Amino acid sequence: MSSTLRVAVVGAGPAGIYASDILARTGEDVAIDLIERLPAPFGLVRYGVAPDHPRIKQIIVALHKVLERGDIRLLAGVDYGTDVTLAELRERYDAVIFATGAIRDAALPIPGIDLEGSYGAADFVSWYDGHPDVSRTWPLHAREVAVLGAGNVALDVSRMLAKHAKDLLPTDVPANVYEILAANPVTDVHVFARRGPAQVKFSPLELRELGHVPDVDVIVYPEDFDFDAGSMAAIHSSNQTKQVVNTLTDWTLKEPEDRHASRRIHLHFLHKPVAVLGEAGRVVGLRTERTALNGDGNVTGTGQTTDWPVQAVYRAVGYFGSPLPGLPFDEAAGVIPNREGRVTGPDGSALPGVYTTGWIKRGPVGLIGHTKSDAAETIGHLREDAAVLPKAVDRDPRSLDELLAARGVRVVDWTGWLRLDGHERALGEVVGRERIKVVPRDEMLDIGLGTVATPTA
């Protein structure tokens, strides 16, 4: 029997690639198969970062270098739970690591949240990033829009709604997304945060970039500014918080006569959304309650409400994980139950050979870079367990390939991804852009498998 440690990693986003890389570089005798549901790797960086953030998208360059080494085998287009089960993976691998992320919107249980015109930010992000599993259309009919949330996703959604489509042309924005954004009638985007300026989760860079969007004014209201003892402690202890508050304060000093843009983003603090208002089943407004800081940075409702006329609402209150067939799931936290990456069953004991990392392990918190230390923890425990793991029975390296082929699964390997990557770059080159993303799944598969010719300039 082969002494090689055989490991399957499910999910080829940053979490899965970091885990695979750390394991591959331990010097262990290990074979790693990276299994991805979509026909392309890179997960959140490809499908969760706004197209006008090329700096963040450069993380793909580092992830690409990991996979191009050749010591990690990519199997894209394989849907765990449909194309292959946990039992079938455990027959073929000594350990399975789940790094499937969190792609759903967290719930916001307020009246009217399910009205037509009320959307989850995660769905909108997936649409404008060309995710193959979402509709290729989006109903952009509202002139006034509310965005609920105080993190970078709320800023991304607000910026993408307010930005003129022509300013996205240098990016990899898909053609169908550009066409719909070009007809967007929006004039005002209102962002609502239930706490104060010192409690928002905006990064300083993301916030400053908001102020440089062409023909978009950012409006902040002095009456929404309040700082309690908890706020001042946060400002003094965190340079990031200090930078965010300074930027917001500068914006309060802008005079109305200095605003000439055709579109506006309004940042409202100390406003808690309490109801989405509707008529005939559609969104016609948002009701917020004024909150007051308690002294520790938290807030209490004052009972004073305001109704805002908006025709669409986007909730950006966080991402949430999805249950996976054959695995336990914590419905409250949206994660796979685990102890430092070792997946645990209902009785709290570790499931032999089953691990997790990334957002499906710890929840959707932290930046992409934080995923490295998370993966290192999981891989550390896998290595500790390696000597006592139940060994896979079927150790043929081609066994999974044969199973998938028998089921008619169209698998895109690393060579296939390079083919798709080159095709997208060629599409962009024709019109002077770095890339135009291919959106339909079948088309991605056809290109990756070499059945579609690459365009020429």
Side-chain angles (χ1 to χ4, degrees), residues 400-409 411:
L400 181 60
D401 306 65
E402 292 168 358
L403 175 69
L404 296 172
R407 291 176 176 170
V409 180
V411 181

Side-chain angles (χ1 to χ4, degrees), residues 151-297:
N152 286 339
V153 174
L155 291 186
D156 282 350
V157 168
S158 303
R159 192 181 64 256
M160 289 295 293
L161 285 168
K163 197 167 191 172
H164 292 282
K166 63 181 177 61
D167 295 320
L168 290 169
L169 279 177
T171 75
D172 67 352
V173 64
N176 63 299
V177 174
Y178 170 77
E179 291 167 4
I180 293 172
L181 288 174
N184 184 12
V186 72
T187 60
D188 293 86
V189 178
H190 296 266
V191 184
F192 293 95
R194 65 183 180 86
R195 296 196 291 171
Q199 285 78 42
V200 295
K201 301 302 182 182
F202 308 144
S203 69
L205 181 59
E206 291 261 1
L207 187 63
R208 287 195 297 270
E209 286 179 350
L210 197 68
H212 297 292
V213 180
D215 195 33
V216 175
D217 281 330
V218 180
I219 303 175
V220 180
Y221 298 87
E223 62 267 28
D224 289 348
F225 268 56
D226 192 16
F227 301 94
D228 60 359
S231 301
M232 298 310 298
I235 292 169
H236 291 307
S237 64
S238 168
N239 186 53
Q240 177 165 304
T241 300
K242 183 183 298 183
Q243 291 181 59
V244 166
V245 170
N246 286 343
T247 298
L248 293 171
T249 302
D250 288 344
W251 285 340
T252 66
L253 303 178
K254 293 187 69 172
E255 299 295 337
E257 57 266 24
D258 295 330
R259 300 171 186 147
H260 309 290
S262 66
R263 293 177 173 179
R264 293 158 292 279
I265 295 176
H266 308 256
L267 301 180
H268 304 278
F269 306 105
L270 300 173
H271 282 276
K272 177 184 176 182
V274 293
V276 179
L277 309 178
E279 290 179 4
R282 285 197 55 84
V283 172
V284 297
L286 176 75
R287 178 169 297 157
T288 64
E289 179 184 14
R290 170 66 79 176
T291 60
L293 290 161
N294 292 338
D296 59 0

Side-chain angles (χ1 to χ4, degrees), residues 91-445:
E91 287 175 10
R92 294 164 173 81
Y93 299 91
D94 305 316
V96 182
I97 303 172
F98 288 90
T100 52
I103 60 172
R104 289 190 295 165
D105 284 288
L108 181 63
I110 62 174
I113 198 66
D114 294 324
L115 287 167
E116 185 178 351
S118 176
Y119 311 106
D123 292 336
F124 184 55
V125 171
S126 292
W127 171 75
Y128 67 59
D129 270 332
H131 195 293
D133 292 343
V134 302
S135 172
R136 300 194 69 192
T137 64
W138 192 272
L140 291 180
H141 308 307
R143 293 179 61 83
E144 299 157 304
V145 178
V147 177
L148 316 181
N152 286 339
V153 174
L155 291 186
D156 282 350
V157 168
S158 303
R159 192 181 64 256
M160 289 295 293
L161 285 168
K163 197 167 191 172
H164 292 282
K166 63 181 177 61
D167 295 320
L168 290 169
L169 279 177
T171 75
D172 67 352
V173 64
N176 63 299
V177 174
Y178 170 77
E179 291 167 4
I180 293 172
L181 288 174
N184 184 12
V186 72
T187 60
D188 293 86
V189 178
H190 296 266
V191 184
F192 293 95
R194 65 183 180 86
R195 296 196 291 171
Q199 285 78 42
V200 295
K201 301 302 182 182
F202 308 144
S203 69
L205 181 59
E206 291 261 1
L207 187 63
R208 287 195 297 270
E209 286 179 350
L210 197 68
H212 297 292
V213 180
D215 195 33
V216 175
D217 281 330
V218 180
I219 303 175
V220 180
Y221 298 87
E223 62 267 28
D224 289 348
F225 268 56
D226 192 16
F227 301 94
D228 60 359
S231 301
M232 298 310 298
I235 292 169
H236 291 307
S237 64
S238 168
N239 186 53
Q240 177 165 304
T241 300
K242 183 183 298 183
Q243 291 181 59
V244 166
V245 170
N246 286 343
T247 298
L248 293 171
T249 302
D250 288 344
W251 285 340
T252 66
L253 303 178
K254 293 187 69 172
E255 299 295 337
E257 57 266 24
D258 295 330
R259 300 171 186 147
H260 309 290
S262 66
R263 293 177 173 179
R264 293 158 292 279
I265 295 176
H266 308 256
L267 301 180
H268 304 278
F269 306 105
L270 300 173
H271 282 276
K272 177 184 176 182
V274 293
V276 179
L277 309 178
E279 290 179 4
R282 285 197 55 84
V283 172
V284 297
L286 176 75
R287 178 169 297 157
T288 64
E289 179 184 14
R290 170 66 79 176
T291 60
L293 290 161
N294 292 338
D296 59 0
N298 291 311
V299 293
T300 301
T302 65
Q304 175 189 348
T305 61
T306 304
D307 290 352
W308 308 84
V310 297
Q311 300 84 51
V313 172
Y314 290 78
R315 68 182 188 278
V317 295
Y319 286 87
F320 203 75
S322 301
L324 298 170
L327 288 171
F329 188 69
D330 184 333
E331 294 286 352
V335 300
I336 298 172
N338 70 93
R339 286 199 304 274
E340 297 182 343
R342 293 182 173 110
V343 175
T344 55
D347 63 354
S349 61
L351 302 182
V354 185
Y355 301 85
T356 185
T357 190
W359 280 4
I360 196 63
K361 167 189 173 183
R362 59 184 165 87
V365 293
L367 302 175
I368 292 173
H370 295 158
T371 310
K372 286 185 178 180
S373 58
D374 194 45
E377 178 182 67
T378 294
I379 296 303
H381 288 314
L382 189 158
R383 295 183 67 196
E384 290 171 6
D385 301 342
V388 297
L389 289 176
K391 294 297 182 182
V393 176
D394 186 348
R395 308 190 70 78
D396 183 348
R398 302 296 299 176
S399 179
L400 181 60
D401 306 65
E402 292 168 358
L403 175 69
L404 296 172
R407 291 176 176 170
V409 180
R410 305 170 72 195
V411 181
V412 176
D413 60 13
W414 180 245
T415 299
W417 158 247
L418 292 178
R419 193 178 290 121
L420 174 58
D421 180 50
H423 185 97
E424 292 183 339
R425 291 179 182 276
L427 289 175
E429 186 177 357
V430 171
V431 293
R433 296 165 59 186
E434 180 180 352
R435 169 193 306 272
I436 295 179
K437 199 179 291 181
V438 176
V439 178
R441 176 186 286 266
D442 287 343
E443 186 178 348
M444 294 175 70
L445 288 169

